[in-house]
Amino acid sequence: MRLQALSIPLLLSLLSSSTAYTQISDDLLKTLIPNPSDTDFDLSPSNADSLLGPLLITRVPGTPGQRAAQEHFTRFATKHIPEWKLSWQNSSSPTPLSKGNPVPFHNIILRREPPWARKRGEGNVGLLTLAAHYDSKMIQGGDFIGATDSAAPCAVLMWVARELEKVLGRLWGDGEDGTGEGVQILLLDGEEAFVSWTDTDSLYGSRALAAAWENTTYPALSTFRNPLRQISLFVLLDLLGSPNPNVPSYFQTTHWAYQRMATLEGRLRGLGLLESKPMHPFLPDGAKMATEFTRAFIGDDHEPFMKRGAPVLHLIPSPFPEVWHRLEDDGAHLDMATVRDWARITLAFVLEWLDAGKLEKIQT
Ligand SMILES: *[C@@H]1O[C@H](CO)[C@@H](O)[C@H](O)[C@H]1NC(C)=O
Ligand SMILES: *[C@@H]1O[C@H](CO)[C@@H](O)[C@H](O)[C@H]1NC(C)=O
Ligand SMILES: [Zn+2]
């Protein structure tokens, strides 16, 4: 019953978002996918210009590290992507360790809509949704940094937003044609369990956000009923930054999106635009058959959204990185070529989704 209920919105969004794409030509890919600078993913927490460094601290909800991470995001957004609308979704909840006291959870939402949609008001444009959690797990007896979990994925999304913004002006122009989609980035709080993973001790931020969005109703004549319905695809990045990641295709319903990304990975490698030399592609499941999909999936921030009908592409390696939930999950154990390649692959995927292939025509 539950699967059947899910399949209807999944099918609808699949239909609405698979309309004509122009493949991005090799030449255009070369100009649109830049090399991250040395500063972008510098590991020093005191390097305020680095997207990653300031996140390589403990970021446990209710502690100063949580606030420092938030300030890093807001400073970044103000400086580099002022065109994006920043909003908060705050909640609080006791945890098994808080002795009944509420612990604060703060999700940050960065949203960029095409000009025509902004004029028409909220709720009228589909949004490619990219998400990662910024809280770090509390581990007794040490400072757990969570570099792959998920400082690096957050930094990747910041880089993607900044580089994408450099293209959007040209791509959208005055953007009066009323077509295409926008993008939003969710920096989620409270993903980690404080004691051990249960339905109530985990996913504090994403559960609160999905519930709040379900309750937000857009005006009657809007294209979408609420912010959940606006999600054309929910792409969740987690546990990325270790070498040789193996990210399977988890869901048959979004396998087509996985295939797009896997194809882009292969094209970028072929063009010499990626720098890692993994033993196998990051996304090896492009040819997975319908019969090979199982019901198994990994519990993570996509769940509260998937339950409510959002189509999900889950970018999490299986097996998990060797450093998973160990104090070794720090900057020193990241494979920086892999981190930068995830940034390039994600940017290429977003650009293709937003039909940047048509820039060829605009330029000539
Ligand atoms: C949410 O919390 C942040 C950080 O404390 C604060 O700056 C913001 O104003 C709050 N927003 C809302 C809508 O409550
Ligand atoms: C959603 O709305 C229902 C009914 O009005 C209310 O009981 C519930 O507390 C709301 N939930 C959130 C997360 O706002
Ligand atoms: Zn974790």
Side-chain angles (χ1 to χ4, degrees):
M1 282 307 283
R2 197 182 129 209
L3 263 173
Q4 228 174 358
L6 272 176
S7 69
I8 293 163
L10 287 174
L11 181 67
L12 283 178
S13 52
L14 192 153
L15 291 175
S16 66
S17 52
S18 55
T19 47
Y21 283 89
T22 319
Q23 181 168 344
I24 305 180
S25 71
D26 290 353
D27 283 344
L28 196 52
L29 269 184
K30 285 181 199 159
T31 65
L32 291 179
I33 308 297
N35 286 319
S37 74
D38 290 343
T39 307
D40 287 344
F41 294 99
D42 184 69
L43 298 176
S44 166
S46 61
N47 184 350
D49 292 327
S50 169
L51 304 175
L52 176 60
L55 294 174
L56 297 177
I57 56 173
T58 61
R59 307 174 303 279
V60 175
T63 71
Q66 177 196 38
R67 177 52 62 93
Q70 293 166 1
E71 281 168 5
H72 179 56
F73 296 135
T74 56
R75 213 173 26 219
F76 162 81
T78 307
K79 183 169 175 193
H80 293 289
I81 51 166
E83 302 84 355
W84 294 50
K85 184 180 162 217
L86 184 150
S87 58
W88 297 81
Q89 192 277 322
N90 303 337
S91 62
S92 67
S93 168
T95 75
L97 293 182
S98 73
K99 304 189 174 78
N101 297 313
V103 173
F105 300 101
H106 302 255
N107 300 309
I108 293 178
I109 299 135
L110 296 165
R111 190 175 288 181
R112 181 74 159 104
E113 299 188 338
W116 64 264
R118 267 182 299 170
K119 275 181 205 159
R120 220 179 273 179
E122 282 199 313
N124 286 300
V125 67
L127 295 168
L128 174 60
T129 301
L130 309 167
H133 77 86
Y134 72 88
D135 63 304
S136 64
K137 185 166 178 59
M138 174 146 76
I139 287 190
Q140 306 292 344
D143 288 341
F144 176 74
I145 300 300
T148 69
D149 190 7
S150 272
C154 289
V156 162
L157 294 184
M158 294 164 84
W159 186 85
V160 167
R162 197 190 66 195
E163 297 308 315
L164 175 65
E165 185 53 42
K166 294 174 185 168
V167 180
L168 285 181
R170 249 188 310 151
L171 183 59
W172 283 343
D174 305 334
E176 299 300 343
D177 63 351
T179 65
E181 288 196 358
V183 190
Q184 65 184 344
I185 289 177
L186 312 181
L187 300 161
L188 300 171
D189 201 0
E191 187 265 354
E192 301 283 8
F194 285 80
V195 176
S196 61
W197 191 279
T198 65
D199 286 351
T200 50
D201 187 21
S202 69
L203 309 181
Y204 293 90
S206 53
R207 284 188 288 120
L209 181 61
W213 276 359
E214 189 168 44
N215 267 14
T216 304
T217 308
Y218 287 135
L221 294 180
S222 308
T223 310
F224 297 94
R225 185 146 51 89
N226 63 39
L228 281 173
R229 300 287 169 158
Q230 267 183 299
I231 300 172
S232 57
L233 181 69
F234 189 98
V235 184
L236 178 62
L237 287 72
D238 201 359
L239 302 183
L240 302 180
S242 289
N244 296 306
N246 181 80
V247 173
S249 180
Y250 292 96
F251 304 114
Q252 197 190 337
T253 43
T254 55
H255 187 54
W256 60 280
Y258 178 97
Q259 284 175 314
R260 278 176 189 277
M261 194 180 258
T263 300
L264 281 165
E265 181 195 1
R267 290 184 62 209
L268 292 170
R269 279 196 201 288
L271 292 169
L273 295 176
L274 301 184
E275 59 182 300
S276 62
K277 301 272 179 278
M279 295 184 298
H280 51 73
F282 293 0
L283 302 160
D285 269 0
K288 190 167 178 173
M289 309 293 290
T291 50
E292 296 176 275
F293 286 88
T294 64
R295 298 276 171 88
F297 68 98
I298 297 170
D300 206 344
D301 281 321
H302 60 295
E303 270 189 85
F305 297 88
M306 198 167 82
K307 271 187 201 160
R308 293 170 169 88
V312 171
L313 179 59
H314 196 191
L315 300 177
I316 190 169
S318 175
F320 289 173
E322 278 169 31
V323 295
W324 179 66
H325 285 188
R326 293 156 46 116
L327 297 181
E328 288 79 19
D329 189 3
D330 57 13
H333 288 81
L334 288 173
D335 184 68
M336 297 317 297
T338 299
V339 172
R340 290 188 287 262
D341 283 351
W342 277 119
R344 295 171 171 113
I345 294 166
T346 307
L347 177 62
F349 180 80
V350 174
L351 285 167
E352 188 181 84
W353 191 276
L354 297 181
D355 209 11
K358 73 181 184 195
L359 277 173
E360 203 107 49
K361 287 185 217 123
I362 296 172
Q363 277 164 344
T364 54

